[in-house]
Amino acid sequence: MGNYERTILVTGGAGFIGSHVVRRFVNKFPSYKIVNLDALTYAGNLENLADIQQASNYIFEKGDITHESFINTLFEKYKFDSVIHLAAESHVDRSINDPLSFVKTNVLGTATLLNACRTSWKNNLINKIFYHVSTDEVYGTLGSDGYFTEETCYDPRSPYSASKAASDHLVMAYHHTYHLPVIISNCSNNYGSHHFPEKLIPLMINNIKNNKPLPVYGKGENVRDWLWVEDHVSAIDIIFHRGRQGETYNIGGLNEWRNIDLVKLLVRIMDKKLNRPEGTSEKLITFVADRPGHDLRYAIDPKKLTTELGWKPSVTFQEGLEKTVDWYLANDEWVKHVTSGDYQQYYDQQYKKKT
Ligand code: NAD
Ligand code: TYD
């Protein structure tokens, strides 16, 4: 297939994190051919990749990771030597409303890809890698202290995290049983540009901008550990190239925030950028019914990644949030496109239920 050094299948490349992965790999590694496979669900959007869609080392394939014959045909067509697997149903609230679609995509979809690798690579495992992008939510919830390490036992508590945990277990099972070369990374909450506005940060940015209520679940005391998406992607790059096979790496920037404090910080940043008197948008904060089974706290200990592979985040939270807010304010059309149709229906159902 041409003279490419590697042919990499990236799944879910039209989504939030996937589009940042595809952009980085296409631009930084012209000797790699990048094939982006995405089903273009409500969360997938080719506008995210408009700037690189003409690149000669980039190909888009529309398709579903759960379709076995389609996936096998794709492997025959491209002879991939690597997979970076991000395609997933990714939103906890949606998983509470519709758990089976999470089981289908996240568990069956991952198994289907693993099986295609097993078949396609059975005669030669040299220079092959299946990189599975996962979440810290597989570890469950923390109390007010302690951190998730790579040794923490899995204890998922939402249909989303349980389906991701199951997919992680399948990845390791294929490693131990079939010697498939695999790596898993479990990352904390991401934020940044192109983030679908059903998740906390882009939803709040959009609502602050439009003077809509800011729905904080419960008392806003739940804690998340936030990482700028570009820093997640730089970690994926390093782990993909230098991580040890059969290992798990936790990714996080030691940046814990209670939801209510984060929303107040965002409000302050945005009031300034929108030339509103200080404190204007804080009045929009509205406490709503809590999420069922709401995990109290996530916090990653990234020591293995920082000491073994030398990764560190490139921005402070304030810098990352400013960049993110600037991007949303400058990309009104993108927001308009993704918040029409399905989003509006989801939003009305989700937040009518809670108030
Ligand atoms: P996302 O929902 O923005 O994107 C998911 C992408 O997968 C979309 O483009 C969608 O069209 C595609 N997809 C969904 N079902 C598919 C199917 N059956 N076949 C092919 N494509 C399909 O998700 P994200 O936030 O970018 O997350 C990407 C990955 O990173 C996920 O595996 C998620 O579990 C993991 N992760 C996310 C975070 C986070 O904070 N967002 C943190 C850690 C790990
Ligand atoms: P979210 O962005 O959905 O990520 P996750 O549930 O995977 O951590 O939510 C982040 C936190 O924000 C979580 O504690 C739930 C809370 N939250 C709200 O308070 N209000 C909202 O409207 C949303 C979407 C989330």
Side-chain angles (χ1 to χ4, degrees):
M1 302 298 286
N3 287 325
Y4 287 99
E5 195 184 328
R6 308 200 72 132
T7 302
I8 306 177
L9 172 65
V10 178
T11 70
F16 166 46
I17 303 171
S19 61
H20 287 274
V21 170
V22 167
R23 179 174 301 99
R24 182 182 181 97
F25 274 67
V26 164
N27 288 334
K28 186 174 168 193
F29 303 109
S31 63
Y32 295 179
K33 177 189 268 184
I34 306 298
V35 180
N36 171 15
L37 166 64
D38 199 295
L40 299 181
T41 68
Y42 79 94
N45 181 1
L46 288 179
E47 273 181 71
N48 294 356
L49 292 165
D51 55 326
I52 55 113
Q53 67 184 356
Q54 302 297 345
S56 56
N57 63 336
Y58 171 70
I59 295 174
F60 175 70
E61 290 273 359
K62 183 172 188 292
D64 189 324
I65 55 167
T66 66
H67 287 175
E68 191 182 356
S69 58
F70 166 74
I71 293 296
N72 290 340
T73 308
L74 209 64
F75 271 74
E76 277 161 28
K77 180 172 170 192
Y78 290 105
K79 314 250 177 290
F80 302 115
D81 51 62
S82 330
V83 177
I84 305 179
H85 174 36
L86 298 107
E89 288 294 339
S90 68
H91 187 35
V92 173
D93 291 324
R94 286 190 192 247
S95 83
I96 293 167
N97 298 333
D98 178 20
L100 290 190
S101 63
F102 282 67
V103 174
K104 186 173 178 218
T105 292
N106 299 357
V107 185
L108 180 62
T110 303
T112 305
L113 291 166
L114 287 165
N115 227 31
C117 291
R118 178 186 157 222
T119 310
S120 166
W121 298 345
K122 68 173 179 289
N123 296 323
N124 181 7
L125 293 172
I126 296 166
N127 286 329
K128 307 290 195 300
I129 192 77
F130 184 95
Y131 184 143
H132 181 55
V133 176
S134 193
T135 167
D136 61 353
E137 302 190 27
V138 298
Y139 297 122
T141 184
L142 292 165
S144 53
D145 56 12
Y147 293 91
F148 297 135
T149 74
E150 290 79 3
E151 273 70 52
T152 304
C153 288
Y154 277 31
D155 183 22
R157 296 150 53 99
S158 74
Y160 164 63
S161 54
S163 67
K164 290 297 290 186
S167 68
D168 291 10
H169 288 319
L170 279 163
V171 172
M172 283 305 172
Y174 271 68
H175 177 66
H176 293 298
T177 308
Y178 307 113
H179 309 293
L180 202 74
V182 305
I183 298 187
I184 299 179
S185 60
N186 297 82
C187 189
S188 62
N189 287 62
N190 284 215
Y191 69 97
S193 71
H194 305 90
H195 201 184
F196 195 80
E198 64 185 354
K199 307 278 172 68
L200 180 72
I201 289 182
L203 184 143
M204 292 297 169
I205 293 175
N206 197 31
N207 286 13
I208 294 168
K209 183 168 156 259
N210 295 310
N211 275 307
K212 282 175 65 179
L214 308 179
V216 174
Y217 296 170
K219 295 183 178 151
E221 285 170 351
N222 302 67
V223 174
R224 296 292 182 265
D225 182 357
W226 293 96
L227 185 68
W228 191 42
V229 63
E230 296 285 353
D231 285 329
H232 183 189
V233 173
S234 76
I236 289 175
D237 179 350
I238 291 172
I239 295 167
F240 175 81
H241 288 99
R242 295 198 280 115
R244 284 179 290 138
Q245 288 180 10
E247 293 284 322
T248 285
Y249 293 87
N250 282 353
I251 310 174
L254 298 169
N255 180 43
E256 292 178 51
W257 285 79
R258 289 195 318 160
N259 292 337
I260 186 64
D261 299 330
L262 165 48
V263 173
K264 287 183 178 170
L265 173 61
L266 255 184
V267 153
R268 281 199 297 280
I269 291 175
M270 288 195 62
D271 274 351
K272 234 185 230 157
K273 290 193 189 283
L274 295 167
N275 294 318
R276 293 179 184 166
E278 205 182 319
T280 310
S281 308
E282 196 168 321
K283 300 194 188 83
L284 297 169
I285 292 175
T286 310
F287 292 96
V288 299
D290 209 353
R291 172 188 281 173
H294 195 172
D295 288 341
L296 178 66
R297 176 172 165 258
Y298 304 144
I300 285 274
D301 174 355
K303 217 178 292 122
K304 180 173 175 184
L305 175 62
T306 54
T307 54
E308 193 178 308
L309 298 177
W311 171 87
K312 59 175 189 324
S314 68
V315 293
T316 64
F317 195 40
Q318 177 85 26
E319 286 164 350
L321 272 185
E322 299 245 2
K323 282 175 193 282
T324 305
V325 168
D326 288 343
W327 186 86
Y328 278 91
L329 294 180
N331 286 277
D332 217 23
E333 280 303 303
W334 184 93
V335 177
K336 270 195 197 124
H337 291 167
V338 302
T339 52
S340 56
D342 173 81
Y343 175 82
Q344 208 46 59
Q345 208 182 341
Y346 165 79
Y347 193 93
D348 292 345
Q349 266 165 18
Q350 177 69 10
Y351 292 95
K352 192 171 67 207
K353 215 169 57 187
K354 286 187 175 294
T355 44

